[in-house]
Amino acid sequence: MAGLTGRMSTIVKAKVSKVLDRAEDPAETLDYSYSKQLELLQNVKKGIADVVTSKKRLQLQETQMQQQVVKLDTQARQALAANREDLARVALERKQSVQTELQSMDSQIAELEAQQQKLIDSEAAMRAKLEAFRTKKEVIKAQYSAAEAQVRISEAATGVGEQMADVGLAMQRALDKTENMKARAAAVGELQDSGTFEDLTQLGPGKDDIDRQLEAIGAGGAVDDELSKLKAEIGAGAAPTQIEASTGGEAAPAPEPAAADAGGDHDDASGATP
Amino acid sequence: MIVRVFSDGQYRIPDDAQARLHELDVATVEAIDANDEGAFKSSYGALIELIHANGERLADDDLAPSDLMLPPSDITLEEAREEFTGEGLLPD
């Protein structure tokens, strides 16, 4: 069969027979390969322990990025309500890129966990096969002539050899993923440090350029509010519709700038939803 | 026929499922040649499904060698391509 299955089979069989042909006695070869394989598995376990640390770091970064998404969304609404489409666009663009990063993080973490599980399963199957092999080779030796026993033991050894190849591949893939995860955690950390995700970690008074521009609008809006209220009191001219809409729902008629600002935020958030 | 799916297990496949298995194998290779991720995922996914649906899983301590071996079910197109170039997926 010339397909993917045939290709894989050819490669595995070649590797297995290369290992088993090293010695006259396949049982001896297997014992040797097995101890080598166990050493490798120890290294993988260490690697996986390392990655748990990277994974936790990524998960923390993930939480911070989720908060960043919420914040950018609010900013976009505020900007839009203030007729600052340009600013809203910047906020939404950042939100998009943070979300994209978040999604790929999720799948990276899930993939790594899947690889780990497969490695554990393959290793368990290998231990089971090797135990069976040790018992069976004695039975075969007792039941068959030397030549016949050799053939049967070789066949059983091939079964174990395949499983070793299986563990080898599972290990390789888990290690590759581990390396990817580490690189990713480091890269996201660098982005944070360099300020690309500027206020990712600033849950308190952190302000970015979008915040500052929105504040400037807020201050301007408060002045506009006060002005339009004054105009209404005097009864001269109509206020712009947008201002009317945003002040219309307010119960307190007092033209207090701070209250108008906070109230404005509320109305903006709901009013900006298309 | 005994088929091994890497990172999964060994399955005894009845003769009547082998023709379909071959078809899906050929379709998978065509998808790899065409570098078509969607086609690759669907044909290789169907191949694995066929084995799970028709095959009888061997016990972990069964020592039978496999007639046919397949890469893990979650193999990527990129990894599958590697299988056809150089040393293949398996580490030494």
Side-chain angles (χ1 to χ4, degrees):
Chain A
M1 207 178 271
L4 182 62
T5 60
R7 175 79 185 165
M8 182 96 186
S9 309
T10 307
I11 294 173
V12 174
K13 279 171 187 165
K15 293 212 175 191
V16 169
S17 62
K18 208 169 112 189
V19 170
L20 294 180
D21 288 347
R22 270 185 208 148
E24 277 290 298
D25 184 357
E28 221 173 79
T29 313
L30 265 190
D31 285 343
Y32 171 74
S33 310
Y34 182 64
S35 63
K36 275 205 77 152
Q37 206 79 29
L38 282 186
E39 265 171 48
L40 285 172
L41 280 174
Q42 286 306 316
N43 286 340
V44 173
K45 278 178 184 154
K46 263 183 241 158
I48 287 175
D50 275 359
V51 95
V52 170
T53 313
S54 308
K55 201 162 81 180
K56 281 189 179 146
R57 187 169 165 207
L58 269 189
Q59 279 163 339
L60 181 69
Q61 287 170 336
E62 210 178 8
T63 310
Q64 291 166 342
M65 286 162 85
Q66 277 157 355
Q67 289 162 345
Q68 177 80 340
V69 166
V70 173
K71 181 181 174 181
L72 285 167
D73 188 68
T74 309
Q75 285 180 329
R77 285 164 192 271
Q78 287 174 348
L80 207 61
N83 278 329
R84 284 295 305 274
E85 206 182 314
D86 55 330
L87 207 53
R89 185 173 297 277
V90 173
L92 288 178
E93 277 166 5
R94 285 187 196 174
K95 185 182 154 187
Q96 279 291 318
S97 68
V98 176
Q99 273 178 327
T100 308
E101 184 65 23
L102 268 175
Q103 276 171 6
S104 83
M105 254 188 201
D106 266 351
S107 61
Q108 288 266 332
I109 290 172
E111 274 176 42
L112 179 69
E113 274 164 3
Q115 301 301 357
Q116 285 179 15
Q117 193 51 51
K118 283 179 177 177
L119 177 56
I120 290 163
D121 293 346
S122 295
E123 193 210 345
M126 186 172 98
R127 287 179 193 276
K129 275 195 163 54
L130 210 83
E131 272 315 301
F133 177 76
R134 285 185 172 142
T135 316
K136 198 171 179 180
K137 74 181 179 196
E138 299 310 322
V139 175
I140 291 172
K141 278 181 191 166
Q143 283 180 349
Y144 297 92
S145 69
E148 176 79 347
Q150 185 73 5
V151 171
R152 286 177 182 263
I153 289 174
S154 286
E155 197 184 75
T158 303
V160 183
E162 268 178 45
Q163 190 62 45
M164 282 190 178
D166 193 325
V167 179
L169 181 59
M171 197 156 60
Q172 187 65 49
R173 295 182 96 216
L175 280 179
D176 286 351
K177 271 277 167 274
T178 303
E179 287 308 311
N180 282 347
M181 284 283 291
K182 280 189 193 165
R184 186 165 209 94
V188 175
E190 254 171 50
L191 282 179
Q192 278 179 303
D193 293 345
S194 71
T196 307
F197 296 146
E198 219 168 324
D199 50 342
L200 208 59
T201 53
Q202 294 174 346
L203 305 174
K207 282 175 187 168
D208 56 23
D209 55 330
I210 301 183
D211 274 329
R212 283 187 285 274
Q213 290 196 53
L214 278 174
E215 264 168 27
I217 297 165
V223 173
D224 285 346
D225 280 355
E226 214 173 334
L227 198 65
S228 64
K229 274 170 192 159
L230 270 177
K231 279 180 185 168
E233 272 176 33
I234 299 164
T241 39
Q242 199 225 336
I243 302 291
E244 258 180 12
S246 76
T247 52
E250 291 294 324
E256 204 178 302
D261 199 4
D265 283 350
H266 261 283
D267 280 352
D268 289 346
S270 56
T273 314
Chain B
M1 183 169 75
I2 295 173
V3 175
R4 169 186 288 274
V5 180
F6 270 62
S7 293
D8 181 342
Q10 288 173 290
Y11 296 85
R12 194 181 304 278
I13 304 291
D15 291 347
D16 59 7
Q18 287 175 24
R20 180 72 185 134
L21 193 148
H22 181 64
E23 272 172 35
L24 288 169
D25 193 18
V26 169
T28 303
V29 175
E30 280 169 2
I32 295 170
D33 285 343
N35 210 9
D36 185 339
E37 181 92 48
F40 171 73
K41 281 218 179 318
S42 73
S43 54
Y44 197 57
L47 209 167
I48 298 289
E49 187 116 329
L50 179 84
I51 291 166
H52 286 167
N54 296 277
E56 175 206 341
R57 198 182 190 284
L58 301 189
D60 277 353
D61 62 358
D62 197 311
L63 294 171
S66 310
D67 300 296
L68 215 51
M69 287 174 238
L70 280 76
S73 58
D74 64 346
I75 191 179
T76 62
L77 177 59
E78 202 185 320
E79 285 175 307
R81 291 179 76 87
E82 271 177 51
E83 195 56 35
F84 286 91
T85 55
E87 285 296 292
L89 280 180
L90 282 180
D92 278 319

